[in-house]
Amino acid sequence: MALNVTPEERRRIAALTASDRPLIVCDIDEVVLEFVAPFMAYLDSQGHELRTTSFRLAGNVFDKKTGQAAEKKAVSDFLENFFAEHDAWQKPTPGALDALGAIEAAHDADIVFLTAMPPRHHARRRALLDSHGFSHPMIATEDAKGDAVAGLIRERPARAVTFIDDLPPNHISVLQAVPDALSLHLMAYQPLRPHLPPMPQGVTSVEDWPAATRAIAEFLAKRGR
Ligand SMILES: [Mg+2]
């Protein structure tokens, strides 16, 4: 796993792998921080718009003046620039901070953020999370999420794992690596919900953080945690 992180972050991640507490692996964009809404606002500032007519970014970004679809490369440049200054745009999703605190306290759980982004953005994103009170360790990697989670639990294969993410392919990746994980689909931006593909087998869709909190409590009760 590529871990281009500070010694302090490395220490916090190492503590997770040495623990047998239930593990909650939590995505960031669209899960604890809004992504779609602020990315739309960012695109607007760049003379573009995201049309949320299907569940994808590439092909759905348009120049507002010409109506032309932006090329894939242009969309990835927008994303890169957005993340380079995302702290000006992204806000926490409703209920995320309270829910994580409650889950941690109720189940004596370890929480780790797992975000699919180049590790070079780690420091800036770490500072943004801290500024909103999210102090849990964070792994920023472009590896498959299943590989990242498997790496985390290699020492403790029996531990109860919950994975929370808005992208179905990430759930498939994690369920392949950790088939007995609780896989929760959570997505802050509601207007995209009708365009979601069917959830992969084994994934539970939850509407918001209170619903996620209840699903985790049920799952851990069954595991005797
Ligand atoms: Mg996400």
Side-chain angles (χ1 to χ4, degrees):
M1 207 182 336
L3 286 182
N4 176 21
V5 300
T6 61
E8 166 59 15
E9 194 81 332
R10 196 179 292 273
R11 188 192 63 70
R12 289 198 280 183
I13 293 164
L16 294 175
T17 60
S19 158
D20 65 350
R21 309 199 309 169
L23 182 66
I24 316 287
V25 181
C26 187
D27 180 33
I28 293 179
D29 292 307
E30 276 299 290
V31 175
V32 296
L33 295 179
E34 290 179 342
F35 167 73
V36 175
F39 187 57
M40 289 170 90
Y42 173 77
L43 286 173
D44 187 66
S45 78
Q46 304 295 309
H48 282 70
E49 64 178 340
L50 174 68
R51 297 181 192 161
T52 51
T53 48
S54 62
F55 191 70
R56 60 176 189 169
L57 289 180
N60 281 353
V61 175
F62 294 85
D63 186 311
K64 285 198 293 184
K65 270 216 191 83
T66 67
Q68 282 240 313
E71 300 286 333
K72 211 172 168 188
K73 167 81 170 71
V75 174
S76 61
D77 287 350
F78 281 134
L79 263 180
E80 175 67 23
N81 293 335
F82 175 75
F83 283 126
E85 51 174 288
H86 66 298
D87 36 5
W89 300 90
Q90 291 193 270
K91 302 281 181 277
T93 60
L97 186 62
D98 288 348
L100 288 178
I103 291 163
E104 194 173 23
H107 308 291
D108 193 25
D110 284 329
I111 293 166
V112 59
F113 294 124
L114 177 59
T115 188
M117 69 171 6
R120 67 177 172 277
H121 294 303
H122 186 281
R124 190 142 191 172
R125 173 148 276 198
R126 174 75 268 167
L128 174 62
L129 289 171
D130 287 341
S131 77
H132 289 297
F134 295 101
S135 58
H136 312 287
M138 180 185 75
I139 298 168
T141 176
E142 292 178 293
D143 293 350
K145 289 207 172 182
D147 292 345
V149 176
L152 269 177
I153 63 168
R154 198 157 287 136
E155 312 286 315
R156 301 275 184 171
R159 179 165 51 182
V161 176
T162 299
F163 177 67
I164 312 172
D165 203 286
D166 64 310
L167 295 181
N170 291 337
H171 284 288
I172 293 171
S173 168
V174 167
L175 283 173
Q176 275 170 356
V178 191
D180 63 349
L182 171 65
S183 226
L184 295 180
H185 179 268
L186 180 60
M187 187 177 70
Y189 189 76
Q190 299 294 328
L192 264 179
R193 281 191 169 263
H195 304 294
L196 278 170
M199 279 304 122
Q201 180 130 31
V203 179
T204 304
S205 233
V206 286
E207 189 140 336
D208 52 21
W209 271 104
T213 306
R214 289 192 296 275
I216 290 168
E218 278 169 31
F219 170 69
L220 291 178
K222 276 191 216 139
R223 295 287 178 94
R225 303 303 291 249

